Amino acid sequence: MQYENPLVPEGINTTDEHPLKEFAILSVGVILVVVFFMGLITLAVELSARFVPFEYEQQMVSSVLQKDPSKSTPQERYLQALADKIAQAQELPKEMVITVHYEDDDIKNAFATLGGHVFIHRGLVEQLSNENALELLLAHEIAHIKYRHPLKSLGSGLLMQIFWAIISGSSDPSALASISQLTSLSYSRSNETQADEEGLYCVFQLHHDVNGASELFQALIDQQSDSDFSPPKYLSTHPDLAERIIHLKKLAIKKGWSAQKKIKPLNLIFKKVSTTSGSE
Amino acid sequence: MYDLIVLLVLLLIGYFFGRMAEKKHYKSIIEREKKYAKIILIATKYAPAEVLNQQSSLVSGSVVISVDYFKRFLAALRNFFGGRVTSYESLLDRARREAILRLKEEAHKKGSNMLVNLKLETSSISKGRKNAIGSVEILAYATAFYPDTKALAQPNAV
């Protein structure tokens, strides 16, 4: 018998197609799939949040966010009374109870989180010079709660994590810890706009005037420009402050909300003790 | 953002070095395949009658080859949609041919030009570190017959 091993032609077990071409096609495909599902998750959360009773939110955080009313400071009591007034003006359902926490530190931040808890830091209040701005701040945070933004943020955050875990094939249960996210909930731009609009509307309802309210953002801008190296957290999650001022001014003109009345200065209990920096 | 930059750098490194290595390897494979073409290598289980009275021995050649970051990423993307994992195809093609070439080299050194009953085995070396190590071993082994010898003790040995 005669045997031979002829040379086998190339390209039978492999392909000549350029790997970068395959890479481009597959990447675009994957990105499209991911964007589609992220959109789907956002939409599902947006539509379903209203069916989750507010009580569940309260139960979720009841173990970590507890408050003893007898230990509250005068500032906290003042803010709580203001918040209750605002909650009434915003026609919050009666089960939505707002709890204000006044944090006596220099952090220039304020945020709303699950279960109707609103955190206001002294650092931010000190930047304000009038009551309307403070009211806008509170009304903004309360509007987040009214529209269930903390729940939506948490829900979509968790679903996104599950989604990523599924597509990347890794399942790390510790990544799904929910309570640790309480202070790092971030709201989408449209959520912020919604809260801004509701907040300003609320200020108008309280005084039939919105003069001085947008000072809230102005204070944040000023502080942004002369802040030291690291920008405060409030700013990094609330970009485009100037745009938001313009948006609110336009809204006030469109709705015919006047801004002429004399503004009431900030309550003296928030007055800065030290006089290192002068405010206008 | 930093993750993305790191990913891109890894992909670039994987792509350029992997591509370079593959090109070089294929060149060497094709060259050596021509060189050893005269060594007959067949996969039949039984040896041809002409060589049955010759001495024989086991010869083997093995190679371990690693996947680069780019190929691995491409294969992971391919996982979503299915289809030919072309990035691994060329890798395994190279590994198989290299293993056979090493087999032939050993046979050549021992003075054989007839290899019978070729077998190939593939195993992945990842042992619990699936995402960190993406290497594959290919082992080729066969029975070599030596024309200059006469096996007297066991004439029918294969």
Side-chain angles (χ1 to χ4, degrees):
Chain A
M1 218 193 294
Q2 204 61 43
Y3 293 100
E4 60 171 327
N5 284 151
L7 287 176
V8 182
E10 296 293 321
I12 291 173
N13 293 323
T14 55
T15 174
D16 282 339
E17 202 183 73
H18 202 280
L20 285 181
K21 189 182 158 199
E22 195 191 356
F23 177 74
I25 293 170
L26 290 177
S27 306
V28 169
V30 167
I31 289 168
L32 285 179
V33 168
V34 166
V35 166
F36 173 75
F37 276 101
M38 283 174 125
L40 210 63
I41 286 171
T42 311
L43 187 70
V45 167
E46 196 65 37
L47 293 177
S48 60
R50 77 178 79 164
F51 299 111
V52 179
F54 191 71
E55 207 187 317
Y56 287 7
E57 263 190 52
Q58 288 168 321
Q59 281 168 8
M60 244 193 280
V61 295
S62 61
S63 59
V64 269
L65 298 179
Q66 271 179 337
K67 201 165 166 252
D68 184 2
S70 64
K71 279 184 190 154
S72 58
T73 57
Q75 290 94 333
E76 207 158 46
R77 280 197 295 274
Y78 180 81
L79 287 173
Q80 184 65 54
L82 197 57
D84 292 341
K85 205 167 82 179
I86 288 165
Q88 213 174 16
Q90 288 195 10
E91 288 162 359
L92 248 63
K94 65 175 185 311
E95 71 273 13
M96 275 194 197
V97 180
I98 303 293
T99 314
V100 180
H101 303 254
Y102 180 72
E103 304 288 325
D104 191 13
D105 54 35
D106 287 328
I107 299 169
K108 293 170 175 93
N109 195 11
F111 61 92
T113 189
L114 294 168
H117 293 273
V118 174
F119 288 81
I120 308 282
H121 291 266
R122 176 170 52 78
L124 183 59
V125 179
E126 275 177 1
Q127 302 291 313
L128 308 173
S129 70
N130 73 74
E131 284 286 298
N132 283 9
L134 180 65
E135 277 168 15
L136 179 61
L137 174 63
L138 270 173
H140 171 99
E141 301 305 342
I142 291 167
H144 275 315
I145 289 162
K146 179 180 177 182
Y147 293 113
R148 311 300 295 274
H149 292 163
L151 182 70
K152 286 174 185 172
S153 170
L154 180 75
S156 56
L158 286 178
L159 284 174
M160 295 282 180
Q161 279 180 8
I162 293 168
F163 173 67
W164 279 114
I166 290 169
I167 63 165
S168 65
S170 69
S171 56
D172 182 8
S174 67
L176 299 178
S178 57
I179 296 301
S180 65
Q181 292 186 324
L182 270 185
T183 57
S184 61
L185 294 174
S186 63
Y187 305 124
S188 70
R189 226 183 131 130
S190 63
N191 283 354
E192 290 299 342
T193 308
Q194 194 180 23
D196 280 353
E197 288 176 2
E198 178 77 20
L200 194 69
Y201 175 60
C202 181
V203 172
F204 176 73
Q205 275 190 316
L206 289 172
H207 307 290
H208 297 286
D209 196 90
V210 294
N211 198 11
S214 62
E215 192 217 55
L216 168 63
F217 301 111
Q218 195 58 52
L220 288 165
I221 291 176
D222 292 345
Q223 169 215 329
Q224 190 177 28
S225 56
D226 64 32
S227 71
D228 49 3
F229 211 62
S230 59
K233 200 174 161 203
Y234 195 84
L235 295 173
S236 54
T237 57
H238 293 65
D240 309 316
L241 291 163
E243 252 175 64
R244 288 168 67 186
I245 295 181
I246 294 166
H247 179 77
L248 286 188
K249 285 201 168 138
K250 275 186 188 159
L251 182 78
I253 291 166
K254 204 174 111 194
K255 301 270 182 181
W257 298 337
S258 66
Q260 288 132 15
K261 275 195 195 168
K262 196 162 174 285
I263 44 180
K264 201 170 137 193
L266 196 71
N267 194 304
L268 285 176
I269 53 172
F270 296 111
K271 198 146 175 72
K272 236 188 247 184
V273 184
S274 65
T275 51
T276 42
S277 66
S279 58
E280 65 265 53
Chain B
M1 192 63 210
Y2 285 114
D3 291 353
L4 203 66
I5 293 169
V6 169
L7 178 73
L8 282 176
V9 169
L10 284 175
L11 281 177
L12 275 177
I13 291 174
Y15 176 73
F16 282 110
F17 283 92
R19 195 92 175 138
M20 232 162 66
E22 186 155 295
K23 244 183 173 168
K24 217 172 116 188
H25 194 196
Y26 262 125
K27 208 180 143 199
S28 134
I29 286 173
I30 290 166
E31 240 168 50
R32 284 181 294 151
E33 274 178 351
K34 276 185 194 141
K35 186 179 161 194
Y36 293 113
K38 62 178 192 300
I39 299 177
I40 300 298
L41 172 64
I42 52 176
T44 53
K45 194 167 179 185
Y46 299 105
E50 303 92 86
V51 297
L52 278 180
N53 59 343
Q54 292 176 6
Q55 214 170 50
S56 62
S57 78
L58 175 76
V59 282
S60 66
S62 84
V63 62
V64 177
I65 198 163
S66 175
V67 65
D68 61 63
Y69 197 85
F70 180 77
K71 278 184 190 298
R72 191 204 300 259
F73 193 81
L74 205 54
L77 288 181
R78 190 42 98 184
N79 265 346
F80 284 102
F81 304 107
R84 281 178 70 178
V85 188
T86 52
S87 65
Y88 281 3
E89 278 178 356
S90 62
L91 188 83
L92 285 165
D93 184 51
R94 274 159 58 201
R96 222 161 23 233
R97 288 163 78 172
E98 180 68 36
I100 289 172
L101 279 169
R102 290 183 182 180
L103 173 78
K104 281 188 165 186
E105 269 164 35
E106 190 190 326
H108 179 71
K109 272 186 195 158
K110 287 181 169 171
S112 165
N113 54 15
M114 182 74 185
L115 297 166
V116 178
N117 200 6
L118 169 74
K119 291 204 170 115
L120 286 164
E121 289 196 6
T122 310
S123 49
S124 58
I125 302 172
S126 57
K127 282 281 179 218
R129 299 199 63 200
K130 254 186 174 166
N131 294 321
I133 302 169
S135 303
V136 66
E137 189 219 16
I138 300 221
L139 169 69
Y141 56 101
T143 306
F145 285 92
Y146 303 98
D148 299 336
T149 59
K150 293 273 189 282
L152 299 169
Q154 292 172 292
N156 285 327
V158 170

